[in-house]
């Protein structure tokens, strides 16, 4: 695990522990701190120790700069927005580190910055093949983080619907910014009619079906050892980077179309094209946590008022104000509807209409999924890539000639 990954991981875990403190969950705080100390002892890693120290310093600085945000004493939308921006900033630092490492390898130089393994999160098909291999007792040591990160995303869908999309996904945050920028100049929505919106939403499920076909039928279990030990897989991240940095004309046209969709339609990519959104949408149907309306406190039921603030706040255009429970596969657990509700007890996210969770609790679940499992994988020796840098350097020189 690199310094950047260690700092990000330990900062997130320390931030999560601090949220337990500010929420008055003393037992949870003790468990979290004891677990972190145990992890440091088991790892016996100087890198992880440095990451812990740097994370503590950064958390202290953040608390000095924005005490209300660190203490979680802000509104739901501010809490989610701040968390998303921190994750995006961490991802940009990782991207910079990965770029420096790759450029130096391509130049035939020994990089002074190690390759961050978390970039394997952008290899979902490889991660799916690895998970399939693990179920058959086949373990990949070239890109193990791909399987770990895919498993994490799938787990969030089972735990708290599409909270990964609503609270963590950097593409969703970037899309939101582009949409807001477009609204400054062109205020009209011009959304597709309902009869067209539904077929368009099915596109992401078609893409998911294609990926699943490649994983389930395109890669037999007997072929997985050859694949995960092959040259293509060893530099799969480089091949993916080359696809985006040296796109074909068809790829450029696809990128342009995606840019138009996410700029024009709020959450357009999430709604129509994202395979992750599709699989999380399906898994979210099994999640016990859902947006629920308590009719006893809702203004519509209690006072007969016309209130649809929750519906108007939903970025996925879900009709919330007439539902008792929101089952939609488009719900991202962003809790914007809860934040917009004028009655605190009328709308919530939880197991039932009387057992709801705070936004802080949802964020803690996301933090635990995103960072505890990578730490556990690292302690188990299944996180760092075992591909020597010299091999990567040699393969990069002939990357354009390496195929599946």
């Amino acid at each position: 695990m690199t310094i950047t990954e260690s700092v990000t991981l330990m900062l997130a875990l320390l931030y999560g522990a601090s949220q337990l403190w500010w929420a008055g969950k003393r037992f949870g705080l003790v468990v979290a701190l004891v677990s972190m100390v145990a992890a440091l002892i088991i790892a016996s890693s100087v890198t992880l120790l440095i990451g812990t120290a740097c994370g503590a310093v950064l958390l202290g600085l953040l608390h000095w700069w924005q005490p209300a945000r660190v203490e979680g004493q802000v509104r739901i939308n501010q809490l989610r927005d701040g968390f998303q921006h921190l994750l995006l900033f961490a991802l940009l630092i990782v991207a910079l580190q990965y770029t420096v490492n790759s450029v130096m390898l391509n130049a035939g130089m020994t990089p002074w910055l190690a390759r961050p393994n978390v970039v394997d999160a952008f290899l979902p098909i490889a991660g799916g093949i690895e998970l399939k291999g693990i179920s058959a007792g086949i373990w990949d040591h070239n890109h193990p983080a791909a399987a770990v990160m895919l498993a994490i995303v799938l787990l969030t869908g089972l735990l708290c619907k599409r909270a990964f999309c609503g609270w963590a996904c950097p593409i969703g945050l970037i899309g939101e910014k582009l949409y807001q920028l477009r609204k400054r100049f062109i205020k009209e929505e011009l959304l597709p009619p309902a009869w067209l919106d539904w077929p368009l939403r099915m596109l992401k499920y078609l893409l998911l079906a294609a990926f699943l076909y490649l994983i389930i039928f395109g890669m037999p279990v007997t072929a997985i050892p050859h694949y995960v030990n092959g040259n293509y897989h060893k530099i799969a991240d480089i091949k993916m980077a080359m696809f985006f940095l040296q796109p074909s004309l068809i790829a450029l046209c696809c990128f342009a179309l995606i840019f138009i969709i996410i700029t024009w339609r709020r959450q357009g990519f999430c709604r129509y094209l994202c395979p992750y959104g599709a699989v999380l949408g399906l898994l979210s149907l099994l999640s016990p946590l859902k947006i629920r309306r308590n009719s006893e406190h809702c203004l519509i039921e209690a006072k007969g008022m016309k209130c649809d603030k929750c519906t108007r706040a939903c970025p996925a255009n879900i009709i919330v104000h007439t539902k008792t429970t929101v089952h939609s596969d488009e719900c991202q657990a962003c809790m914007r509807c809860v934040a917009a509700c004028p009655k605190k007890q009328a709308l919530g996210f939880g197991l039932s209409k009387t057992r709801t969770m705070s936004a802080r609790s949802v964020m803690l679940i996301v933090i635990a999924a995103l960072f505890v499992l990578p730490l556990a994988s690292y302690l188990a020796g299944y996180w760092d890539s075992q591909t020597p840098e010299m091999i990567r350097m040699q393969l990069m020189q002939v990357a354009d000639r390496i195929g599946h």
Side-chain angles (χ1 to χ4, degrees):
M1 185 171 288
T2 66
I3 287 291
T4 302
E5 292 174 299
S6 297
V7 172
T8 303
L9 186 147
M10 298 311 293
L11 172 61
L13 294 180
L14 287 170
Y15 174 67
S18 73
Q19 292 302 299
L20 293 171
W21 166 265
W22 298 115
K25 307 295 183 181
R26 301 294 188 263
F27 178 76
L29 173 66
V30 171
V31 171
L33 292 178
V34 169
S35 300
M36 291 171 66
V37 171
L40 290 173
I41 295 173
I42 294 172
S44 299
S45 169
V46 175
T47 301
L48 204 59
L49 190 61
I50 294 174
T52 305
C54 292
V57 171
L58 288 174
L59 184 61
L61 291 174
L62 284 173
H63 186 261
W64 171 77
W65 179 45
Q66 294 282 341
R69 285 187 179 273
V70 174
E71 294 174 15
Q73 304 300 322
V74 292
R75 296 180 182 274
I76 293 174
N77 292 338
Q78 291 176 303
L79 183 67
R80 184 192 61 255
D81 188 65
F83 183 62
Q84 282 184 296
H85 279 82
L86 282 176
L87 288 180
L88 178 60
F89 178 74
L91 184 61
L92 291 175
I93 297 298
V94 166
L96 178 61
Q97 179 180 346
Y98 178 75
T99 300
V100 172
N101 175 272
S102 299
V103 168
M104 295 188 71
L105 281 176
N106 192 49
M109 303 166 58
T110 301
W112 51 271
L113 274 178
R115 172 188 175 276
N117 295 281
V118 72
V119 298
D120 290 345
F122 294 93
L123 302 174
I125 295 180
I129 292 173
E130 290 172 25
L131 288 179
K132 180 179 177 180
I134 290 173
S135 66
I138 304 168
W139 298 79
D140 170 47
H141 295 285
N142 290 305
H143 293 287
V148 176
M149 296 305 296
L150 179 58
I152 287 170
V153 174
L154 298 179
L155 179 62
T156 61
L158 288 172
L159 290 178
C160 49
K161 290 186 73 67
R162 290 177 58 181
F164 175 83
C165 305
W167 286 81
C169 180
I171 297 177
L173 177 59
I174 294 172
E176 184 73 14
K177 297 298 182 184
L178 290 173
Y179 170 78
Q180 292 173 359
L181 179 63
R182 193 273 293 175
K183 288 284 287 184
R184 288 187 179 183
F185 301 97
I186 306 175
K187 297 188 180 299
E188 292 81 9
E189 290 289 351
L190 297 178
L191 298 177
W195 62 267
L196 181 58
D197 181 70
W198 188 86
L200 289 175
R201 284 173 53 193
M202 294 302 103
L203 289 175
K204 63 178 180 287
Y205 289 102
L206 291 176
L207 290 172
L208 174 62
F211 289 156
L212 290 177
Y213 177 83
L214 290 175
I215 294 170
I216 298 174
F217 300 105
M219 182 65 65
V221 174
T222 54
I224 292 179
H226 175 74
Y227 170 77
V228 297
N229 293 307
N231 288 336
Y232 180 89
H233 183 65
K234 289 177 181 177
I235 56 168
D237 54 314
I238 297 296
K239 299 288 284 187
M240 178 64 73
M242 290 173 62
F243 173 77
F244 287 100
L245 296 176
Q246 301 174 7
S248 64
L249 179 60
I250 296 177
L252 280 175
C253 292
C254 291
F255 294 158
L257 178 61
I258 291 173
F259 178 81
I260 292 172
I261 290 174
I262 64 177
T263 303
W264 194 266
R265 173 67 158 88
R266 190 177 190 183
Q267 295 189 351
F269 180 77
C270 312
R271 188 175 184 86
Y272 300 134
L273 296 174
C274 182
Y276 267 131
V279 69
L280 288 177
L282 293 175
L283 289 174
S284 72
L285 300 177
L286 303 176
S287 173
L289 302 177
K290 289 177 173 60
I291 294 292
R292 304 178 190 274
R293 185 169 63 91
N294 191 331
S295 58
E296 296 177 4
H297 297 278
C298 181
L299 291 176
I300 296 176
E301 303 288 343
K303 298 184 179 180
M305 298 176 64
K306 293 183 178 180
C307 178
D308 64 346
K309 289 184 177 181
C310 52
T311 294
R312 286 186 280 121
C314 179
N317 294 122
I318 300 171
I319 306 301
V320 181
H321 70 285
T322 60
K323 291 181 171 61
T324 303
T325 303
V326 175
H327 294 281
S328 174
D329 59 327
E330 298 295 338
C331 178
Q332 298 185 3
C334 65
M335 299 182 71
R336 286 184 174 91
C337 57
V338 177
C341 183
K343 296 286 287 183
K344 290 184 178 180
Q345 295 178 312
L347 202 65
F349 182 68
L351 296 171
S352 68
K353 64 181 182 180
T354 57
R355 298 175 61 190
T356 58
M357 303 173 62
S358 65
R360 191 205 307 260
S361 298
V362 176
M363 184 180 66
L364 285 174
I365 292 176
V366 176
I367 289 175
L370 289 180
F371 297 99
V372 172
L373 288 182
L375 177 59
S377 300
Y378 172 69
L379 296 178
Y382 195 72
W383 177 260
D384 291 329
S385 173
Q386 302 302 313
T387 306
E389 288 187 337
M390 185 60 66
I391 298 297
R392 286 176 59 82
M393 185 186 300
Q394 294 172 355
L395 293 176
M396 285 180 68
Q397 307 307 315
V398 293
D400 57 337
R401 298 198 296 271
I402 297 177
H404 293 81

